[in-house]
Amino acid sequence: ALKIVRKMVMAFLDIDYLCKTPYQRCSSQDSLDEQAMVDYFKEVEIIQRSGDAETQEEVQLKVADEGEQEEAWLMEAGLATLFDESASDGEDSIALLSTLTRTQAAAVERRVETLKQTLRKRNKPYSVPDVREIFKPASQSKVRAHIRPRISAVSSCVNEDMQVGGADAETDINLEVSFSEQALTYKEGLKVTQPQNEADDRLPDFRVSQDKTGQTRVGDLSAEDMKKVRRLVLIEMSALFDTCGIEVKAHKALKVKVRESGLFGVSLSTLLEQDQRRIPGTKVPLILQHLMSHIEEQGLDTEGVLRIPGAATRVKAVCHELEHKFYEGVFPWQSLKQHDAASLLKLFIRELPYPLLTVEYFSAFISVLKLPTKKQQLQALNLLVLLLPEPNRDTLKALLEFFQRVTDHKDRNKMTLNNVAVVMAPNIFMCKGFRSKISEQQEFAMATGTANIVRLLVRYQNLLWTIPKFVLNQVRKHNMENQRKMHRDRAVKKLLKKMAYDRERASDKQEKNTEAEGGFIRVQAPQFSKVSMAVQLTEDLKASDVLTHFLSQERSPSVKREDLCLYEMGGNIKERCLDEETYITALLELNPSAEWVIKSVQH
C-alpha cells in the first residue's frame, strides 16, 4: 500500500463503521466503480511523488477532554450562561431556548447533563444548573410550550411527505420542519424502512419545494441574524446526529506554525487580508481565482483536466515564481500550462495550514456517511456548510462551482462527477502534516468514503447554501423575544421618550397601515432618484414584479436589474434580500411589520 495514505487523517474517521460497508463494483454512472478508485490511488501516488507531503511537520490531533467538548459547544451555541452564571448573555440565551424544538432541546439537555457529571467527577465547584431546572415546568411556557402543539403537526407534515407517493416523495427536501424532527419521525417507524447505506450510492435528483415566502441563501441576511443562524444550526446539527445515534467527537483547534505572508501554506484569513488591501470586498483568494480562470481559459474540453498532473519539477518552479511575481502583476500566465495550473490548484488546497472543512467540523463531515438515508446526509451537509467560517465557506463554494463546470464538459474531457470526486478527495482530506497508521482495508474504506463526500458536495451544491426555513423562523422568534424584552426594559426608564417617539411615528405608521389596508405597500429606494413609490398589493405580487415596477419609473440609465434586490427589513428580521419568486402577501402574513427597501447588491 502507498506510504502516503498512512499519513491521512484517520483520527477523524470511525474506521469500524467504514469497514462494515464492503466495496462493491457497480456499473452505474452514479456510483464509484473500480476504475474510479484506481484514479484515487493514482492521485495519492502523484501527491507522494510531488514531495510536499514528506516535508510537512507532523501534527497530532487531540480529542477534547471529557466535559471540555460540551463546554465549548455550549459557548459556541450562545448558551454559556447554562454553566457560567457570570456570562453576559443570560437573557439572549433564554430567548434562544424559547425557539428550540424537542430534539434541539434534548441536544442541549444532553450536553448540560454531561458537563455537570464531568465536573462532579472532578470534585470541582460548578454552577451548572440541574437539567430539570433549565426546562422545569414553571419555565416551559418560555422554553417548550410552543413545541408540544407542533409535535403532532411535525409528524403530520412528515407523514404527508411520505405518503405523497413514489420517487417524488423520496426526492423532496422539506425545509419547513426541523431535520432532526424528521429524522426522529423516520426513526420512530412512521416511514416504511428502506435499505440503509445503499450499496450503489446512487444520487437522487433532490429538489426543494417552492415556498411562497421565498428561499433564503447565505449572504441574504444581516451579520447579526447570521450569528443567530449559526448558533441554531450548531444545535440542529448536533440534534440530528444525536437522534440517529451517531457520536461526533470534536477535535481541539490546532496550533501550528503558519506563514504570515505569501500564497501557498498561508491561512485563508491571512490570504484574504492581503487580497482585500488590493481589491476591497474579495471573498475568495485571488491566487485561487486566477488558477481556476486560467484553467477555464485554456479550455475545459481538455481530456483529463484535473486528473493528469503537471511535471513535478516544473510545478515547483512555477510555485516559487508565483510567490515572487503574483502580487507584482508580472507573472507570465500565458506560459503556464493547463495541467500545471491544475496541479497548483490542488497544491494550494493541500498546503492550507488548516483544513478547508476546518478541524472543528472535519469529523462531522466524515460522519455524514453514517446517516441512514441520502436525504439525511444531504441535510447534514447543508447544516455543516452553514457552520463553516465565511472564508472557508466562500472558498468551498467557488471550488464546487468550478468542479461543476468541469463536469459539464465530461463528454469531451472525460471528467465525470466520479472522476472529479476521486481526484479531489485526497487533496481535500489529506490535510497538511496529519499522520496516522492504518491498514490496507482501512485505506480503501477511507478512499471510498471521502470520495463519496466530495460527490455529494459537488452534486448538491445548489441546495447546500440554502438556509432552511425552520431555522429562519426560529431566528424570527428569537428576534421577537428580544424585542419584547427590550420594550419591557424601556417601559419605565424611557417612558416619556418612547411616548414622544410613538407620537412622531404615529402618522407614518398610520399612513403605512392605511396603504396596506387599501391594497398598497410603500417601497423605499433611498439610493436612487426614485426614493419612494406605492405598489398595488395583489395575491400574485412577487418581489420580481416590484423590481420591474421600480425600473419602469427609475430615471437613471446606469441602474441594472441584476444589481437590484428587494429587501424585507424590520419587524421580526433585521434584513433579508428576497428571492425574486417571493410572494409579498405571503411574506406580509409572516412579518406584518416589515418595511420594503430596494438596494443595490454586490456580486
Side-chain angles (χ1 to χ4, degrees), residues 99-118:
T99 71
L100 301 186
T101 66
R102 56 176 174 171
T103 48
Q104 292 171 351
V108 174
E109 290 179 10
R110 178 184 179 186
R111 282 150 184 83
V112 170
E113 185 62 27
T114 300
L115 178 58
K116 177 181 174 182
Q117 292 174 0
T118 301

Side-chain angles (χ1 to χ4, degrees), residues 18-172:
L18 289 173
C19 291
K20 286 176 184 175
T21 307
Y23 171 71
Q24 299 181 19
R25 179 168 184 163
C26 179
S27 60
S28 167
Q29 290 298 310
D30 292 329
S31 65
L32 294 172
D33 58 18
E34 291 177 0
Q35 182 57 50
M37 298 318 300
V38 168
D39 290 341
Y40 178 98
F41 287 104
K42 282 183 179 178
E43 182 67 22
V44 172
E45 189 175 5
I46 290 167
I47 295 172
Q48 180 185 26
R49 288 202 308 265
S50 71
D52 63 285
E54 295 297 332
T55 59
Q56 293 166 4
E57 173 188 3
E58 180 173 340
V59 178
Q60 295 295 335
L61 287 175
K62 294 183 179 179
V63 177
D65 296 334
E66 187 179 7
E68 186 178 3
Q69 179 173 328
E70 286 73 24
E71 186 174 324
W73 186 92
L74 289 167
M75 290 183 65
E76 191 174 354
L79 298 173
T81 187
L82 295 184
F83 66 87
D84 183 1
E85 293 179 348
S86 65
S88 59
D89 59 351
E91 291 293 336
D92 193 60
S93 296
I94 293 175
L96 176 62
L97 290 170
S98 71
T99 71
L100 301 186
T101 66
R102 56 176 174 171
T103 48
Q104 292 171 351
V108 174
E109 290 179 10
R110 178 184 179 186
R111 282 150 184 83
V112 170
E113 185 62 27
T114 300
L115 178 58
K116 177 181 174 182
Q117 292 174 0
T118 301
L119 294 176
R120 186 185 293 123
K121 288 178 184 177
R122 297 175 183 172
N123 294 319
K124 289 186 176 182
Y126 60 88
S127 59
V128 179
D130 191 286
V131 171
R132 291 168 295 183
E133 290 296 316
I134 299 174
F135 298 107
K136 63 183 179 181
S139 65
Q140 282 182 351
S141 60
K142 293 182 179 180
V143 179
R144 281 186 168 182
H146 73 292
I147 298 174
R148 289 194 174 91
R150 291 166 51 199
I151 291 177
S152 59
V154 167
S155 299
S156 174
C157 184
V158 174
N159 274 322
E160 279 184 20
D161 285 346
M162 295 167 179
Q163 294 171 2
V164 168
D168 287 346
E170 290 299 324
T171 55
D172 281 338

Side-chain angles (χ1 to χ4, degrees), residues 38 185 264 302 427 525 538 565:
V38 168
T185 303
F264 296 87
T302 305
N427 293 282
T538 66
C565 182

Side-chain angles (χ1 to χ4, degrees), residues 356-461:
L356 180 61
L357 303 182
T358 73
V359 172
E360 292 79 2
Y361 300 116
F362 214 105
S363 59
F365 272 97
I366 296 293
S367 298
V368 162
L369 296 178
K370 301 178 187 178
L371 293 166
T373 69
K374 285 289 181 295
K375 183 181 291 187
Q376 290 178 10
Q377 292 171 10
L378 175 57
Q379 291 170 336
L381 285 176
N382 182 194
L383 298 173
L384 284 167
V385 165
L386 296 177
L387 280 173
L388 290 175
E390 189 172 348
N392 299 64
R393 191 170 58 223
D394 291 338
T395 301
L396 177 64
K397 188 174 190 294
L399 282 169
L400 295 180
E401 290 173 347
F402 172 68
F403 297 155
Q404 182 60 58
R405 293 194 293 273
V406 171
T407 63
D408 288 343
H409 294 253
K410 62 180 179 293
D411 291 338
R412 290 183 176 274
N413 62 26
K414 311 302 181 186
M415 294 299 295
T416 64
L417 173 61
N418 291 346
N419 297 136
V420 171
V422 298
V423 167
M424 294 310 304
N427 293 282
I428 293 174
F429 287 93
M430 288 177 62
C431 308
K432 179 178 180 180
F434 293 69
R435 306 192 64 173
S436 184
K437 294 183 178 180
I438 57 176
S439 67
E440 292 182 22
Q441 183 183 12
Q442 291 167 345
E443 289 172 359
F444 191 82
M446 177 179 171
T448 56
T450 56
N452 271 307
I453 293 168
V454 176
R455 290 171 69 232
L456 292 173
L457 289 170
V458 176
R459 176 69 172 79
Y460 300 120
Q461 59 183 282

